[in-house]
């Protein structure tokens, strides 16, 4: 159930099911029954307005209204458009509705605290206007149950097309869509229930979905657990480039890499701040350096197989030179923060040198500075991240409450387990360190990035309110213990 289907893919799954011999009206009846089950499980019968649109989403609404009425609920039904304009299965569903059909108008909401939004669903592609916009605006303050998707939300992007209601519950069918998990859609959907309406899993066979919700099922079998008879060098030797001023960033990242399982971690830092780093964790090796050339010499040890650059590094030519040195040395690289922004004036100097063993971990500002309009900044987060991964040839982890990880081959995940407590200084440095620790142990870049962002979110949930970034490395132990089972 982790696959996310685009609107087009969902339509294709519907079509394949109907072509296999399942009538569309049977699917519509099943969808309506699923919504009614979800509603009756959460609320006792009380006055309800069912708002039906002109398409199949409205047809679901007619089924819902009829079944609620049969279950003893007081129901009023309103239709956006005319009964004569309904076609296909929606028209057949309307024929089965025994009550009056009222015109869609905000007045129908008066005295009806529960609203079933069956106006448009996920297929809407233009902003709401006219009566549709007015009635959606009038849903404010009422309990809304959305059928498939709150009306006004774009199913593929989660964007609001003019206006959309705040739903308490959204019932969708077969699989979620990206708009259910990308912001702001995820917030507006409320609780999301995925209902089985008789579409078989084999309907996915010809689709090969490329987008999933991030979960351990995706990467657990690739996780680099320590092996009996192994040793620290077999678990990788990671290098973190430490900055001269914001020294906490590299220290957080280095401890996170160790906690995640890297056998050894070295912080390479400017000689004048060597004492600061040396006074940190005794588990971290510290090596002083005076230039990018000396950094390259540190990387000359073939056992040092993965490098993190950027946290607290400072923006400038020295950081650029270190990044280029790491890439030239053929190391697996995690590039974060200043390692990305240092190339803002000439992004091709970096993007043309990256490869599939590199992971970029920008937030939105860093992403914009590096990729600019080349990836369509007006497009949705999923599309932008995919375009960036394709352009760079690297794995791109675009951070946020709805972090997206994309691979150059088109695979992508949306991460949904991170709590808002992670919005604190240094949490991104810990995340970069977790990615580093996993790729140092030989985990492939895409799976490592997906695992890291999920583990990071679980660690934050384990700490809870009051979290600061120093709490996260220690919390990793509990997450890893539970993950290993």
């Amino acid at each position: 159930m982790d696959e996310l289907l685009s609107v087009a893919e969902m339509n294709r799954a519907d079509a394949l099911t109907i072509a296999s011999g399942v009538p569309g009206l049977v699917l519509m009846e099943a969808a309506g029954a699923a919504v009614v089950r979800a509603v009756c499980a959460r609320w006792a019968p009380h006055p309800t307005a069912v708002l039906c649109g002109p398409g199949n989403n409205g047809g679901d609404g007619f089924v819902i209204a009829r079944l609620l009425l049969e279950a003893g609920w007081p129901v009023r039904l309103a239709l956006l458009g005319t009964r004569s304009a309904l076609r296909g299965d929606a028209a057949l569903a309307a024929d089965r509705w025994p009550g009056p059909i009222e015109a869609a108008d905000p007045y129908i909401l008066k005295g009806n605290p529960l609203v079933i939004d069956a106006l448009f669903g996920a297929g809407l592609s233009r902003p709401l206007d006219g009566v549709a916009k007015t009635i959606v605006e009038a849903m404010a303050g009422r309990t809304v149950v959305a059928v498939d998707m709150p009306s006004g939300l774009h199913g593929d992007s989660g964007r609001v097309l003019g206006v959309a209601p705040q739903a308490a519950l959204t019932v969708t069918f077969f699989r979620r869509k990206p708009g259910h998990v990308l912001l702001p859609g995820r917030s507006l959907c409320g609780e999301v229930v995925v209902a089985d309406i008789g579409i078989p899993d084999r309907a996915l066979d010809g689709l090969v979905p490329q987008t999933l919700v991030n979960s351990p099922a995706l990467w657990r079998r690739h996780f680099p657990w320590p092996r009996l008879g192994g040793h620290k060098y077999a678990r990788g030797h990671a290098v973190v480039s430490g900055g001269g001023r914001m020294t906490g960033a590299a220290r957080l990242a280095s401890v996170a890499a160790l906690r995640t399982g890297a056998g050894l971690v070295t912080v390479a830092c400017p000689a004048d701040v060597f004492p600061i780093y040396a006074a940190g964790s005794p588990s971290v090796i510290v090596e002083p350096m005076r230039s990018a050339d000396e950094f390259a010499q540190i990387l000359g040890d073939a056992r040092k197989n993965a490098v993190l650059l950027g946290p607290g590094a400072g923006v400038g030519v020295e950081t650029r030179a270190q990044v280029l040195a790491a890439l030239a040395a053929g190391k697996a690289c995690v590039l974060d923060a200043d390692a990305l922004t240092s190339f803002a004036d000439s992004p091709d100097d970096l993007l043309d040198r990256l490869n599939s063993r590199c992971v970029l971990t920008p937030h939105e500002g860093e992403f914009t500075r590096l990729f600019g309009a080349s990836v369509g900044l007006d497009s949705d987060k999923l599309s932008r991240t995919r375009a960036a991964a394709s352009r760079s040839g690297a794995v791109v982890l675009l951070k946020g409450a709805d972090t997206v990880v994309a691979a150059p081959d088109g695979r992508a995940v949306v991460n949904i387990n991170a709590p808002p407590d992670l919005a604190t200084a240094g949490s991104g440095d810990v995340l970069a360190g977790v990615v580093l620790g996993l790729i140092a142990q030989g985990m492939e870049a895409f799976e490592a990035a997906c695992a890291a962002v999920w583990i990071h979110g679980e660690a934050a949930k384990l700490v809870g309110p009051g979290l600061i970034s120093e709490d996260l490395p220690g919390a990793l132990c509990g997450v890893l213990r539970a993950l290993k089972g």
Side-chain angles (χ1 to χ4, degrees):
M1 297 293 287
D2 290 334
E3 300 95 347
L4 295 172
L5 298 188
S6 69
V7 173
E9 288 172 332
M10 187 64 221
N11 290 341
R12 178 65 177 155
D14 279 335
L16 289 171
T17 303
I18 292 170
S20 73
V22 180
L25 187 58
V26 170
L27 295 178
M28 188 170 285
E29 287 283 339
V35 175
V36 170
R37 284 195 299 272
V39 169
C40 291
R42 290 160 177 79
W43 295 281
H46 62 280
T48 300
V50 179
L51 306 177
C52 298
N56 281 345
N57 200 248
D60 295 341
F62 276 99
V63 175
I64 294 163
R66 188 188 82 240
L67 296 178
L68 285 175
L69 190 67
E70 292 173 357
W73 288 59
V75 176
R76 293 175 70 182
L77 182 145
L79 174 63
L80 185 66
T82 63
R83 169 66 184 82
S84 61
L86 295 176
R87 296 289 182 269
D89 296 327
L92 295 174
D95 288 341
R96 296 180 175 183
W97 164 244
I101 299 175
E102 303 182 55
D105 189 278
Y107 78 86
I108 197 173
L109 303 181
K110 293 181 179 179
N112 292 292
L114 182 65
V115 179
I116 308 295
D117 172 17
L119 289 171
F120 293 107
L124 190 70
S125 59
R126 61 181 179 82
L128 296 179
D129 57 14
V131 175
K133 180 181 179 183
T134 301
I135 200 167
V136 167
E137 290 173 335
M139 294 182 197
R142 291 175 169 79
T143 301
V144 176
V145 175
V147 180
D148 191 27
M149 184 78 69
S151 293
L153 274 186
H154 192 283
D156 288 340
S157 70
R159 287 183 172 178
V160 176
L161 299 173
V163 63
Q166 173 63 63
L169 170 69
T170 296
V171 182
T172 193
F173 315 111
F174 185 53
R175 295 292 189 272
R176 285 173 290 185
K177 299 168 186 68
H180 290 121
V181 295
L182 292 170
L183 293 173
R186 189 166 93 215
S187 295
L188 292 172
C189 286
E191 178 189 0
V192 177
V193 170
V194 182
D196 178 3
I197 61 170
I199 299 174
D201 286 343
R202 66 176 179 273
L204 294 175
D205 291 346
L207 298 178
V208 193
Q210 289 282 80
T211 310
L212 296 94
V213 172
N214 191 22
S215 78
L218 176 66
W219 40 262
R220 189 196 300 269
R221 71 180 188 277
H222 303 292
F223 203 83
W225 299 111
R227 297 178 180 275
L228 188 65
H231 52 82
K232 61 187 176 184
Y233 291 106
R235 297 174 66 185
H237 188 160
V239 176
V240 179
S241 175
R245 186 167 65 89
M246 299 179 67
T247 58
R251 287 185 287 161
L252 286 167
S254 60
V255 174
L258 281 171
R259 288 286 189 189
T260 309
L264 302 95
V265 175
T266 291
V267 171
C269 67
D272 57 347
V273 292
F274 175 86
I276 296 175
Y277 286 98
S281 171
S283 300
V284 176
I285 303 165
V286 183
E287 290 195 38
M289 63 176 178
R290 292 173 177 78
S291 66
D293 288 340
E294 290 193 6
F295 182 65
Q297 292 173 15
I298 292 171
L299 299 182
D301 183 344
R303 294 174 298 181
K304 295 184 172 80
N305 61 330
V307 186
L308 167 62
L309 301 108
V315 176
V317 294
E318 187 64 22
T319 298
R320 284 173 56 99
Q322 288 183 20
V323 171
L324 296 177
L327 292 170
K331 308 296 182 179
C333 290
V334 181
L335 304 181
D336 185 40
D338 295 339
L340 304 174
T341 301
S342 291
F343 290 88
D345 292 338
S346 54
D348 291 346
D349 289 350
L350 174 63
L351 300 179
D352 290 343
R353 290 174 168 84
L354 297 174
N355 58 68
S356 60
R357 297 176 66 230
C358 299
V359 180
L360 314 184
T361 60
H363 58 53
E364 287 283 0
E366 293 156 353
F367 181 91
T368 299
R369 288 191 287 272
L370 183 63
F371 290 101
S374 67
V375 296
L377 293 179
D378 291 333
S379 62
D380 63 271
K381 189 170 186 176
L382 195 54
S383 297
R384 287 185 287 118
T385 312
R386 271 201 172 102
S390 176
R391 165 64 187 91
S392 65
V395 172
V396 178
L397 188 163
L398 181 51
K399 293 182 287 196
D402 55 350
T403 292
V404 173
V405 182
D409 61 10
R411 290 175 296 161
V413 303
V414 182
N415 195 73
I416 62 173
N417 74 330
D421 308 88
L422 277 172
T424 185
S427 66
D429 304 316
V430 175
L431 174 60
V434 176
V435 180
L436 177 69
L438 293 175
I439 64 171
Q441 295 172 83
M443 200 172 186
E444 294 292 330
F446 178 69
E447 285 78 10
C450 294
V453 72
W454 187 89
I455 291 168
H456 189 243
E458 289 299 299
K461 286 161 61 176
L462 195 62
V463 174
L467 177 151
I468 58 175
S469 56
E470 292 98 309
D471 300 325
L472 291 169
L476 294 173
C477 298
V479 175
L480 295 173
R481 186 180 304 113
L483 182 65
K484 190 174 184 180

